[in-house]
Amino acid sequence: MAKKKKHASRQLTFAALLNKVVSAILEKLFFQNLQIIKKLLNLVFSNEDYILQLLTEAGLVSDHVIDSVRQSGGNQSVIDKLIRDGHIDQVEIAKVLASSNALEFFDLANTSVAPEVANSITDEVARRYKVIPVFDDGSTLTLAIADPFDFETLDALPHVLTREINFVVSTPDSINSMLKNFYGAQDQGAAGAVDESIDVEGTDAPIIKLVLGMLVDAFNNRASDIHIEPLETSVRIRYRVDGKLIEVANHPKKLLPSIIARLKVMSTSMSIAEKRMPQDGRIQVKIAGKDVDLRVSSVPSNHGESIVMRILDKSGLVLGLPELGFFSDDQATFERLLGLPDGIILVTGPTGSGKTTTLYGCLNAINKPDKKIITVEDPVEYEMAGINQVMVRTEIGMTFSNALRAMLRQAPNIIMIGEIRDAETANIAINASLTGHLVFSTLHTNDAPSAVARLADIGVKRFLIASAVRAVLAQRLVRKLCPACKTPIELSDKELRALRLDASRMVDATIQGPVGCEKCRKKGFRGRMGIFEIFEIDDEVRHLINSELSSSHLRKRAREMGMRSMREDGIRKVLAGLTSAQEVIHVTMADAD
């Protein structure tokens, strides 16, 4: 015990010596900002040990008392125990912390703060950073903080508020009391609850207004993504609407740090201080009375951080099979497949082809009280009532395969796997399907029959593929003609040749083309729909799979058995006046045969 005390004493003495040397160097160089060196100190010593040394140097508490309190046991920190036992109070600690950081102490408990000053920041910023505005002279805003060693707060707030900030130190109790008085009581039951539901109304701060205005504008224009891209001298804002990127604004480059900081403040699980590594987060906002989720991704680039936000409109989620683009015959086929008791149903296509939306549509169609449905997703895009949804978190070992193993112990009837990425996940899914579960998942393949080769490539035995897979649905998305302005047209000879249409198929057709109006932003298209091909696995196909035939042979046999290709499904939708010939030709270039 004596050795331990001696070691702790030496550590604190070294900390004090190092602090004095650093302070002398800084004073000699007239360098006023102590934060960098304090950060280095925090890497070597805990905040508590450093603060205790400061208190000892100030003569407020002795080493003997500190050692005695350390040995008293319990879960409280040494500083909390010193306060509890009356050896020191919060005001004395705050004054020492202020002095050691070249800041002023502010007696917030006995000083009134004008309401207009308190309203100079939003309640979410005040609560997130635990700060109280105390003065505002128009150019500099003075904020009271309890922890001057919280370097993320010190670094972030000037960017978040886009103002010159002066910090003063007050006690934790007085700051918490002011937070409650000015901004109301808050449920502290969940971390990050402040930022998880943000109303976009009623703020005048320029950057806050700019960012929230961008979110509202993107939502009103039915954008699926917002791209914030730093260029050499500007910041480009683009929306993805109906699958096409549209440039909507260019801002001065100097606004980039403030825009990025604001979005990170709004987002959960993103650090303002981290600018060199990719980050992911989530924002929840309410726009025009609707709950909207945004999935946020930041990536460092050569001109600064780039942010992409995927907009997930809960209220606008289309879950009916007809709304997805199924004609009645394909819908009947797919509904029959959804009624199977077991097996695997795969949805394939490239990124952005609507696979996840189709899976949600499948789950919605079969979500009944007598069925237990569990999903494992990366990430969970939409929350669905009555379904148990699990999010993949690889950083803690919650991979697709580990989550699947756990899910099977929950006795589900139906399982949805966001994506089959490796042999382990594929084999667990196949074993689940062979033991009485109906499994839904996605693969990245160009057409439906290629799913067999893809599963074989990642290591699944062909006899297992033949036994487990019941059907594969391949899909693409095409833009729908704007119903307000589309007009009858005649197809050109080139379009007729590309689609292989003859006069007999044109008799009852209602060919329409795009025009452009205010409702579709002069584009002629509004919304998207799917075009599909359904590859059913019957006994003959199982034999072909076991015979290790190539994807081209499987496709040829499937076509002979009546499988309609995506291009053919698209042609039906052109003839029905739902989309344009050019859309189908462009999206199904690989299906031209």
Side-chain angles (χ1 to χ4, degrees):
M1 184 63 73
K3 276 188 175 181
K4 189 177 287 187
K5 285 185 185 178
K6 193 171 183 181
H7 175 71
S9 176
R10 283 179 180 171
Q11 189 183 57
L12 292 175
T13 301
F14 179 59
L17 178 61
L18 181 57
N19 189 44
K20 288 178 180 178
V21 171
V22 166
S23 297
I25 294 171
L26 294 179
E27 186 177 18
K28 184 77 173 176
L29 296 174
F30 302 99
F31 184 74
Q32 298 301 316
N33 189 353
L34 302 179
Q35 292 181 19
I36 297 174
I37 303 303
K38 297 292 186 184
K39 287 182 182 179
L40 296 177
L41 286 173
N42 281 344
L43 293 175
V44 182
F45 312 106
S46 71
N47 264 358
E48 183 170 76
D49 284 342
Y50 183 58
I51 293 170
L52 289 172
Q53 180 63 34
L54 293 176
L55 297 175
T56 303
E57 290 178 348
L60 297 175
V61 66
S62 67
D63 288 334
H64 173 72
V65 170
I66 292 173
D67 289 340
S68 176
V69 169
R70 283 187 194 277
Q71 297 170 24
S72 63
N75 295 325
Q76 283 184 303
S77 70
V78 174
I79 292 176
D80 287 341
K81 291 176 185 176
L82 289 171
I83 295 171
R84 178 199 64 191
D85 296 341
H87 296 294
I88 197 168
D89 61 38
Q90 284 193 2
V91 172
E92 292 173 318
I93 296 173
K95 288 180 177 179
V96 169
L97 293 180
S99 176
S100 69
N101 285 273
L103 299 175
E104 293 182 13
F105 169 75
F106 186 85
D107 189 2
L108 193 58
N110 297 307
T111 308
S112 61
V113 176
E116 59 269 20
V117 175
N119 291 331
S120 61
I121 66 173
T122 63
D123 56 350
E124 64 170 286
V125 171
R127 287 197 183 103
R128 181 182 181 102
Y129 294 103
K130 291 184 171 58
V131 294
I132 297 293
V134 293
F135 295 118
D136 188 354
D137 63 8
S139 61
T140 302
L141 178 65
T142 300
L143 299 176
I145 58 174
D147 183 6
F149 295 113
D150 183 354
F151 302 110
E152 182 172 335
T153 292
L154 300 179
D155 292 341
L157 281 172
H159 296 292
V160 172
L161 300 175
T162 63
R163 295 197 58 182
E164 186 75 24
I165 303 296
N166 178 49
F167 291 101
V168 294
V169 181
S170 193
T171 64
D173 283 353
S174 64
I175 287 180
N176 288 333
S177 177
M178 285 290 194
L179 285 173
K180 184 176 180 180
N181 291 339
F182 280 124
Y183 307 109
Q186 179 199 354
D187 180 10
Q188 300 294 333
V194 176
D195 298 314
E196 288 178 358
S197 183
I198 301 167
D199 195 334
V200 301
E201 309 295 334
T203 179
D204 294 324
I207 289 298
I208 295 176
K209 190 173 181 179
L210 171 66
V211 169
L212 294 181
M214 175 177 62
L215 300 183
V216 172
D217 184 55
F219 178 81
N220 289 338
N221 283 289
R222 303 177 300 101
S224 60
D225 304 273
I226 303 172
H227 295 250
I228 301 171
E229 301 163 320
L231 306 178
E232 187 174 358
T233 59
S234 63
V235 181
R236 181 172 64 183
I237 310 296
R238 295 196 288 177
Y239 302 158
R240 189 179 295 278
V241 180
D242 295 335
K244 305 292 184 181
L245 278 172
I246 302 170
E247 185 170 333
V248 294
N250 264 281
H251 298 302
K253 185 67 175 288
K254 65 181 181 181
L255 294 182
L256 178 65
S258 299
I259 293 172
I260 299 296
R262 173 60 187 163
L263 289 170
K264 287 183 176 180
V265 167
M266 295 173 67
S267 176
T268 58
S269 308
M270 296 186 81
S271 170
I272 293 175
E274 179 57 72
K275 300 177 177 65
R276 298 170 300 172
M277 295 292 291
Q279 295 187 74
D280 294 305
R282 199 164 191 138
I283 297 173
Q284 291 184 334
V285 295
K286 189 180 289 291
I287 301 176
K290 297 181 178 180
D291 291 324
V292 179
D293 278 2
L294 296 102
R295 203 173 70 210
V296 187
S297 170
S298 72
V299 174
S301 71
N302 56 333
H303 294 303
E305 282 187 278
S306 173
I307 283 205
V308 174
M309 292 179 284
R310 171 69 59 86
I311 300 175
L312 308 171
D313 176 13
K314 294 180 181 180
S315 62
L317 180 61
V318 175
L319 292 175
L321 294 183
E323 290 82 3
L324 293 174
F326 284 98
F327 274 161
S328 57
D329 52 353
D330 283 344
Q331 181 179 338
T333 299
F334 207 60
E335 285 177 344
R336 174 172 52 80
L337 293 169
L338 296 181
L340 294 174
D342 55 31
I344 295 179
I345 297 176
L346 295 171
V347 181
T348 73
T351 300
S353 59
K355 299 186 298 297
T356 302
T357 302
T358 298
L359 285 183
Y360 279 117
C362 295
L363 295 184
N364 184 66
I366 58 180
N367 185 13
K368 302 292 187 291
D370 62 337
K371 303 286 186 184
K372 174 155 185 163
I373 303 174
I374 303 181
T375 75
V376 53
E377 305 171 61
D378 183 20
V380 174
E381 292 199 7
Y382 295 99
E383 294 180 4
M384 298 185 68
I387 294 178
N388 301 281
Q389 295 172 273
V390 178
M391 185 171 74
V392 169
R393 296 181 63 190
T394 54
E395 70 275 10
I396 62 171
M398 178 65 87
T399 61
F400 273 109
S401 54
N402 289 339
L404 265 174
R405 290 191 188 93
M407 285 164 56
L408 291 174
R409 293 193 287 271
Q410 298 280 309
N413 303 105
I414 299 161
I415 295 170
M416 191 268 271
I417 307 165
E419 182 184 349
I420 292 179
R421 301 178 178 177
D422 52 49
E424 186 177 16
T425 303
N427 282 312
I428 295 172
I430 284 174
N431 288 333
S433 72
L434 294 176
T435 54
H437 303 86
L438 184 60
V439 180
F440 295 91
S441 191
T442 69
L443 279 177
H444 286 276
T445 64
N446 289 327
D447 62 6
S450 296
V452 174
R454 173 63 181 149
L455 289 173
D457 287 343
I458 64 176
V460 181
K461 292 180 172 57
R462 282 189 171 255
F463 77 89
L464 291 175
I465 299 172
S467 301
V469 178
R470 297 289 182 264
V472 183
L473 174 76
Q475 69 177 64
R476 298 290 188 277
L477 293 177
V478 295
R479 292 182 295 170
K480 294 191 291 186
L481 291 168
C482 175
C485 64
K486 66 181 179 180
T487 187
I489 63 167
E490 291 187 4
L491 297 180
S492 68
D493 291 340
K494 183 178 179 181
E495 290 170 333
L496 290 170
R497 287 195 301 271
L499 298 178
R500 296 184 180 180
L501 288 173
D502 54 36
S504 63
R505 298 194 63 183
M506 304 296 292
V507 174
D508 297 322
T510 55
I511 308 295
Q512 304 273 344
V515 177
C517 64
E518 294 299 325
K519 290 187 177 180
C520 61
R521 292 175 61 102
K522 305 295 184 181
K523 299 297 181 183
F525 297 91
R526 185 175 175 86
R528 290 189 290 177
M529 65 190 303
I531 55 174
F532 308 98
E533 66 180 26
I534 303 175
F535 178 41
E536 291 192 72
I537 311 295
D538 59 12
D539 289 338
E540 183 177 350
V541 174
R542 290 189 185 93
H543 174 72
L544 297 176
I545 293 173
N546 284 323
S547 301
E548 300 191 7
L549 291 181
S550 66
S551 295
S552 59
H553 281 90
L554 284 177
R555 181 171 183 79
K556 181 179 178 181
R557 184 64 190 123
R559 299 279 282 124
E560 291 171 353
M561 295 166 60
M563 183 186 79
R564 185 183 297 111
S565 71
M566 283 181 282
R567 171 160 285 197
E568 289 171 340
D569 190 42
I571 291 171
R572 294 200 301 167
K573 286 159 186 173
V574 170
L575 296 176
L578 299 176
T579 188
S580 73
Q582 284 300 321
E583 273 291 294
V584 172
I585 293 169
H586 171 71
V587 170
T588 60
M589 288 295 292
D591 195 25
D593 62 325

